[in-house]
Amino acid sequence: AQSVAQPEDQVNVAEGNPLTVKCTYSVSGNPYLFWYVQYPNRGLQFLLKYITGDNLVKGSYGFEAEFNKSQTSFHLKKPSALVSDSALYFCAVTKGDSWGKLQFGAGTQVVVTP
Amino acid sequence: GAGVSQSPSNKVTEKGKDVELRCDPISGHTALYWYRQSLGQGLEFLIYFQGNSAPDKSGLPSDRFSAERTGGSVSTLTIQRTQQEDSAVYLCASSLGLDTDTQYFGPGTRLTVL
């Protein structure tokens, strides 16, 4: 079985400050990890993924995430948050024999204040 | 190019009626996925297609749910005898292949069962 935990329901940050959204996972074998963002009344928008290779993954809109195998974490980060980053963020995991079935976390609401 | 499209964007139906939700994947994508997003259950995997074949239907909530894909392109998710607990946003995604390929999501269909 595979699972994803996003321990924070909401993250509040001031514009210009660093943003971190936490994600931990549980999966047997090698995980494939993804971050998506959802704006109100919209579908999910892909940000980045980790498959293999460098632990630091860079994605869209200045976001990056670091894969940490020992801590089974894949935290999303942005050095300087924008008000427009306010949205719902989802971490997801799958693995090789799951044929692309993504297991999503519960989501973290990010609120960036001016 | 065009992304994943879904229709209708909103559907209101009465309990006991059948509904059909349509998904048009990105051209050339061989894999297609259906997910459901609801307040109580979060994002859940329903079914995936590789070509026209659906090898794994384990995520379908009940036998009232069925899906098909024709011509390796358009997919239809059908819910028979709808119940109020079927109210949710139904999201479709497509990818070039399976496993590690990025899934790109459509805007979703919001289903409300009265």
Side-chain angles (χ1 to χ4, degrees):
Chain A
Q2 55 198 39
S3 65
V4 176
Q6 293 181 242
E8 300 156 317
D9 291 337
Q10 182 164 315
V11 169
N12 298 300
V13 62
E15 187 174 31
N17 282 359
L19 169 63
T20 298
V21 187
K22 295 180 180 177
C23 171
T24 59
Y25 66 90
S26 174
V27 67
S28 57
N30 295 320
Y32 304 141
L33 294 153
F34 300 78
W35 276 103
Y36 285 86
V37 61
Q38 186 175 39
Y39 296 97
N41 300 314
R42 304 281 295 276
L44 298 174
Q45 187 172 328
F46 170 73
L47 284 178
L48 51 79
K49 68 181 179 183
Y50 171 82
I51 304 301
T52 187
D54 285 343
N55 289 340
L56 184 63
V57 178
K58 293 187 182 296
S60 307
Y61 313 116
F63 284 95
E64 59 186 31
E66 184 166 13
F67 172 65
N68 188 316
K69 189 172 184 177
S70 63
Q71 297 186 2
T72 62
S73 67
F74 189 57
H75 301 329
L76 181 70
K77 298 182 180 182
K78 187 173 183 180
S80 179
L82 301 172
V83 173
S84 57
D85 293 329
S86 298
L88 187 57
Y89 290 78
F90 289 96
C91 182
V93 66
T94 187
K95 61 174 184 171
D97 60 0
S98 293
W99 299 106
K101 291 163 55 178
L102 291 176
Q103 179 76 39
F104 285 90
T108 298
Q109 184 69 48
V110 169
V111 178
V112 183
T113 52
Chain B
V4 177
S5 61
Q6 293 185 245
S7 60
S9 55
N10 280 284
K11 177 70 176 180
V12 180
T13 190
E14 294 179 346
K15 178 181 173 182
K17 301 281 190 181
D18 298 352
V19 295
E20 284 189 353
L21 312 179
R22 176 188 168 106
C23 173
D24 252 298
I26 294 172
S27 178
H29 281 194
T30 63
L32 185 147
Y33 312 79
W34 285 98
Y35 293 85
R36 180 168 73 173
Q37 184 174 23
S38 59
L39 281 175
Q41 302 297 322
L43 271 159
E44 359 165 39
F45 167 83
L46 297 179
I47 189 171
Y48 83 92
F49 289 88
Q50 176 59 23
N52 292 332
S53 173
D56 185 351
K57 303 179 182 179
S58 62
L60 294 176
S62 74
D63 58 8
R64 296 185 296 103
F65 287 72
S66 63
E68 65 175 14
R69 189 180 185 194
T70 55
S73 182
V74 172
S75 175
T76 303
L77 178 69
T78 301
I79 309 173
Q80 296 179 309
R81 305 181 302 282
T82 52
Q83 303 294 312
Q84 288 184 333
E85 62 262 29
D86 299 335
S87 295
V89 176
Y90 290 81
L91 294 167
C92 176
S94 69
S95 65
L96 274 173
L98 295 177
D99 288 353
T100 62
D101 287 340
T102 299
Q103 296 181 27
Y104 295 94
F105 283 78
T109 293
R110 181 175 298 276
L111 175 65
T112 304
V113 182
L114 301 176

